[in-house]
Amino acid sequence: MGFGTDCIHAGQSSEPTTGSVAVPVFQTSTYEQIGIGQHRGYEYARTQNPTREAFERSVAALEGASEGIAFASGLAAIGAITQLLSSGDHVVCTDNVYGGTYRVFDQLYRRLGITFSFVDTSDPQNIESAWTDATKMLFVESPTNPVLSITDLSVAAEIAHSHGAFLAVDNTFMSPFLQRPLGLGADVVVHSTTKYINGHSDMVGGIVVTSDESIHERLRFLQNAAGAVPGPWDCWLALRGIKTLHIRMREHEKNARVVVAMLSDHRSVQKLYYPGLADHPGHEIAERQQDGFGAMVSFDVGSLDRAQKVVQAVKIFTLAESLGGVESLISHPAAMTHAAVPKADRDAMGVTDGLVRLSVGIEDAEDLVDDVRNALEVIS
Ligand code: P1T
């Protein structure tokens, strides 16, 4: 089936009792059992929920995975992947990951005995150099949040597998419409479903997908045993969002290209980050492994004061954390999403005080371009 057909139908067949075409919200905490040890496949809603199962089947199908395991947030999903490891294990991780990912690795899992090397994974040599005998997981974000650095996922998979480790990829910025890492050799893919998958900025959720039966079994155990499950309403909202994922992603990218074209000529923009630009590092890899370049755009205006003026001058873009919704958002990564990353590390990665990040929405492109251009006039 085509991707659009799968968005609308995969995992979402009519409900068998009534024929309800829309997957119902099974808003229950428990299920009647027929007798001791006898039930209908559903015992307790942390363990099983039909709305959640439909959501898991849907995202798994879009990513080309056999299984999806949903969590209460993207970070809960990333936490579950990390809980596959044990004290003493080591992780090689992309340095420019979402700040919350860095924070949970650095401030929680490090304390529990897992060690991390944060390196620029866009150069495979850095991955090899950081590798130790204890390395069990390579965790890659590509494109990264917020400087959109690209890692060759096939090469990353080869390195991880050659050492008997597994590759986890955070695919949040692309959505399965633009990139399917399992087909490039990744073992697990994680999404903050809060973002493009839901697409409407009205829920928080996460999911891990995999076709590896052993990883699936252990994640399914963790989902129930650790219990960071999403509620049925949030799964339903995300399922409803998925029905238009293909249409939204096309519009997001179309708009982003128009905004990038304006920014690339603007005298107040000192540095522009967008993987669709021919001179963006890793552009050729992105062209090969992605089906498009997405709608996340970052640019540096040179100082905190200038960034402050820009984020306050926009009228359609909203100053807010998060991304991937139909409405355009603007953010200041150094003070917002990446505040937990030490300043020296932020600066080294390009997450400077002058960096501004756009999540380009699906409003009319001309309005978005005018809005950002007018805001830049304030500092010109
Ligand atoms: O917020 P949550 O659903 O827990 O997802 C965390 C997360 C994981 N991975 C990536 C790449 C992310 O961007 C995020 C969350 N990011 C933001 C809130 C943000 O504004 O960048």
Side-chain angles (χ1 to χ4, degrees):
M1 292 292 171
F3 192 92
T5 307
D6 278 343
C7 282
I8 291 161
H9 295 290
Q12 305 199 45
S13 44
S14 308
E15 197 272 326
T17 314
T18 61
S20 168
V21 168
V23 172
V25 181
F26 284 87
Q27 188 71 42
T28 187
S29 60
T30 193
Y31 307 88
E32 179 197 37
Q33 302 199 13
I34 302 146
I36 295 173
Q38 281 180 288
H39 56 79
R40 301 171 178 88
Y42 295 90
E43 296 152 276
Y44 184 61
R46 170 164 32 76
T47 321
Q48 307 103 349
N49 180 287
T51 315
R52 188 175 88 204
E53 288 166 1
F55 172 53
E56 292 174 334
R57 286 193 303 266
S58 168
V59 181
L62 298 180
E63 284 283 3
S66 60
E67 304 291 344
I69 309 98
F71 293 92
S73 68
L75 277 177
I78 290 166
I81 294 171
T82 316
Q83 288 157 28
L84 294 170
L85 307 179
S86 301
S87 173
D89 289 347
H90 173 252
V91 176
V92 176
C93 179
T94 304
D95 54 359
N96 181 227
V97 280
Y98 166 58
T101 306
Y102 171 84
R103 181 179 56 199
V104 73
F105 285 170
D106 185 53
Q107 295 183 33
L108 172 60
Y109 289 104
R110 197 190 287 283
R111 183 161 57 74
L112 300 181
I114 299 171
T115 54
F116 296 87
S117 296
F118 295 95
V119 301
D120 177 0
T121 53
S122 69
D123 180 350
Q125 195 49 52
N126 294 335
I127 304 176
E128 290 283 14
S129 304
W131 211 270
T132 74
D133 290 346
T135 311
K136 295 283 163 42
M137 171 166 81
L138 174 57
F139 188 97
V140 169
E141 202 176 286
S142 183
T144 62
N145 181 356
V147 298
L148 305 155
S149 164
I150 305 291
T151 293
D152 188 324
L153 297 180
S154 307
V155 172
E158 260 177 50
I159 297 174
H161 296 158
S162 73
H163 294 285
F166 70 93
L167 171 65
V169 175
D170 187 331
N171 201 26
T172 299
F173 267 35
M174 287 281 91
S175 89
F177 181 69
L178 294 178
Q179 180 169 265
R180 287 162 304 283
L182 294 185
L184 300 163
D187 303 284
V188 297
V189 171
V190 60
H191 283 277
S192 165
T193 54
T194 317
K195 313 296 174 353
Y196 289 108
I197 287 187
N198 173 62
H200 295 74
S201 304
D202 51 14
M203 56 73 82
V204 169
I207 197 164
V208 184
V209 301
T210 184
S211 295
D212 182 307
E213 194 40 46
S214 144
I215 292 177
H216 165 237
E217 271 178 28
R218 287 184 291 150
L219 285 171
R220 190 65 75 191
F221 167 81
L222 286 165
Q223 182 189 41
N224 181 54
V229 292
W233 266 108
D234 286 344
C235 293
W236 187 88
L237 283 167
L239 263 178
R240 181 184 171 115
I242 286 170
K243 288 185 189 273
T244 55
L245 178 64
H246 53 309
I247 296 170
R248 287 187 282 110
M249 292 312 294
R250 284 191 203 112
E251 293 299 309
H252 276 295
E253 176 154 345
K254 219 160 52 180
N255 282 359
R257 285 171 182 266
V258 182
V259 173
V260 165
M262 182 277 289
L263 290 170
S264 61
D265 288 340
H266 202 287
R267 64 189 182 287
S268 295
V269 173
Q270 298 181 1
K271 199 157 171 28
L272 178 59
Y273 300 88
Y274 184 67
L277 293 166
D279 61 356
H280 184 85
H283 169 72
E284 271 103 46
I285 297 167
E287 204 160 39
R288 205 168 59 235
Q289 73 185 10
Q290 301 171 191
D291 289 335
F293 300 109
M296 297 303 295
V297 181
S298 295
F299 58 96
D300 202 318
V301 292
S303 71
L304 177 60
D305 177 57
R306 285 159 65 83
Q308 182 80 272
K309 289 188 168 120
V310 172
V311 302
Q312 280 172 344
V314 285
K315 297 207 160 51
I316 298 173
F317 280 79
T318 302
L319 176 62
E321 303 220 10
S322 204
L323 59 111
V326 290
E327 58 287 287
S328 292
L329 300 182
I330 190 164
S331 72
H332 183 260
M336 296 166 77
T337 50
H338 290 69
V341 179
K343 179 164 168 48
D345 294 348
R346 284 202 309 259
D347 285 344
M349 293 184 294
V351 188
T352 60
D353 288 349
L355 192 76
V356 172
R357 187 190 76 179
L358 303 179
S359 170
V360 180
I362 62 170
E363 301 92 337
D364 289 318
E366 298 327 308
D367 292 336
L368 298 182
V369 169
D370 288 349
D371 194 32
V372 180
R373 193 194 289 113
N374 291 341
L376 286 169
E377 280 315 305
V378 176
I379 56 165
S380 293

